Amino acid sequence: AFDEVIEMKRKTLWDYHVNAEVQKARNFDFEKGNKLEYSEHLDRLIDNRENRAFLDKIYNLKAVYHQNQKHDSIAEVFYNKSIKTNVKDDYLQSLNYRALAAYRFDATQYKAAGAYYDSTLTKLKKKSKEFRFFQKKRDNLEDVIVYEEEAKRNDSILKVLNYTDEERVVYFEKYITELKANEAAELKDKTQNLIADNNTFSPFNKGGGKQNSKST
């Protein structure tokens, strides 16, 4: 049925044509199908400028392909591309986020996994079965995240304790420099925001906060 729509090409709406391509691709048999041919077909869909509005779906397919091939790092790249390309399809975005969460969980990066599960939940209907499932997974991570942070903090303390006196001086000087740099950056951002707010509400501005086009 998908092939019939695909073969119609310009005789039907391009939306139908591309979605038929996507749905057919989702039925690809990774055990029996020609993987190289399938990957090259996805690349052609990506390269076709007429498919730009559908890149979120095609990138997701490419991510699933690489995940199936155990190319995990490449799969993550395409999951992120799918997320950044188009945010209209909430359910597709939830699939991308949950896949990235699983990668971070398997890598024992539980805080990052929790953040991805948080993003997953924002794309699911709150009363749905899937929302409850991933909410439970996220809640179960909470204690693990606390332990992970404590372990990292303890490891850092033990690392510093094993330093020589000279190494400790270098370590803390670097740490103090980073703190000062962060504080200066925050102060700069606050100053710029205050200036922007002052310009917005200046009594010399007219037309509901818009800058007068003529110089005063």
Side-chain angles (χ1 to χ4, degrees):
F2 293 137
D3 282 336
E4 289 179 6
V5 177
I6 292 168
E7 288 169 6
M8 292 176 70
K9 296 182 179 179
R10 292 297 177 186
K11 294 179 181 179
T12 186
L13 293 176
W14 196 250
D15 287 24
Y16 295 162
H17 175 84
V18 179
N19 278 299
E21 288 273 21
V22 169
Q23 295 306 322
K24 178 185 175 182
R26 292 197 188 285
N27 289 305
F28 179 74
D29 189 335
F30 282 98
E31 292 185 2
K32 300 178 181 179
N34 187 322
K35 299 181 183 67
L36 177 60
E37 185 179 288
Y38 174 72
S39 178
E40 290 176 346
H41 179 63
L42 293 181
D43 288 337
R44 286 193 293 272
L45 291 177
I46 290 171
D47 292 338
N48 189 337
R49 292 177 61 84
E50 292 183 280
N51 297 337
R52 282 178 295 180
F54 307 92
L55 283 176
D56 56 335
K57 295 179 174 66
I58 304 171
Y59 283 146
N60 174 268
L61 289 170
K62 193 73 175 177
V64 172
Y65 164 79
H66 283 293
Q67 184 175 3
N68 183 274
Q69 298 302 105
K70 309 299 182 185
H71 306 153
D72 294 342
S73 59
I74 303 176
E76 287 191 67
V77 169
F78 279 100
Y79 279 125
N80 278 303
K81 279 190 173 185
S82 180
I83 288 170
K84 294 175 182 178
T85 300
N86 195 321
V87 295
K88 293 180 181 179
D89 189 336
D90 282 350
Y91 189 74
L92 178 65
Q93 296 297 330
S94 78
L95 295 177
N96 292 325
Y97 282 125
R98 70 181 73 172
L100 291 171
Y103 276 125
R104 299 279 69 78
F105 184 88
D106 290 342
T108 66
Q109 298 172 2
Y110 300 118
K111 187 174 182 179
Y116 279 123
Y117 280 131
D118 286 338
S119 297
T120 300
L121 292 171
T122 65
K123 301 299 180 181
L124 295 173
K125 294 180 180 179
K126 289 188 176 181
K127 293 184 179 180
S128 68
K129 185 177 180 180
E130 282 185 301
F131 182 92
R132 294 193 297 271
F133 175 79
F134 284 104
Q135 180 69 70
K136 186 176 181 179
K137 290 194 71 143
R138 177 62 182 87
D139 291 343
N140 290 340
L141 272 180
E142 198 60 45
D143 288 341
V144 181
I145 291 172
V146 172
Y147 296 143
E148 180 186 25
E149 291 299 306
E150 288 182 355
K152 287 181 179 178
R153 186 165 55 250
N154 291 338
D155 287 344
S156 297
I157 293 171
L158 291 173
K159 184 178 180 181
V160 173
L161 287 174
N162 289 324
Y163 282 164
T164 64
D165 290 343
E166 291 79 8
E167 287 173 333
R168 287 177 193 163
V169 170
V170 172
Y171 173 84
F172 284 112
E173 284 181 346
K174 181 181 178 182
Y175 182 65
I176 291 169
T177 300
E178 289 176 354
L179 287 178
K180 288 181 177 179
N182 291 335
E183 185 177 348
E186 289 179 6
L187 181 60
K188 182 179 179 181
D189 288 340
K190 289 180 181 179
T191 303
Q192 289 176 341
N193 289 335
L194 286 172
I195 292 172
D197 290 342
N198 184 59
N199 289 337
T200 300
F201 297 103
S202 171
F204 297 104
N205 291 344
K206 295 181 181 180
K210 293 182 179 179
Q211 184 70 37
N212 189 4
S213 60
K214 295 182 180 180
S215 177
T216 54

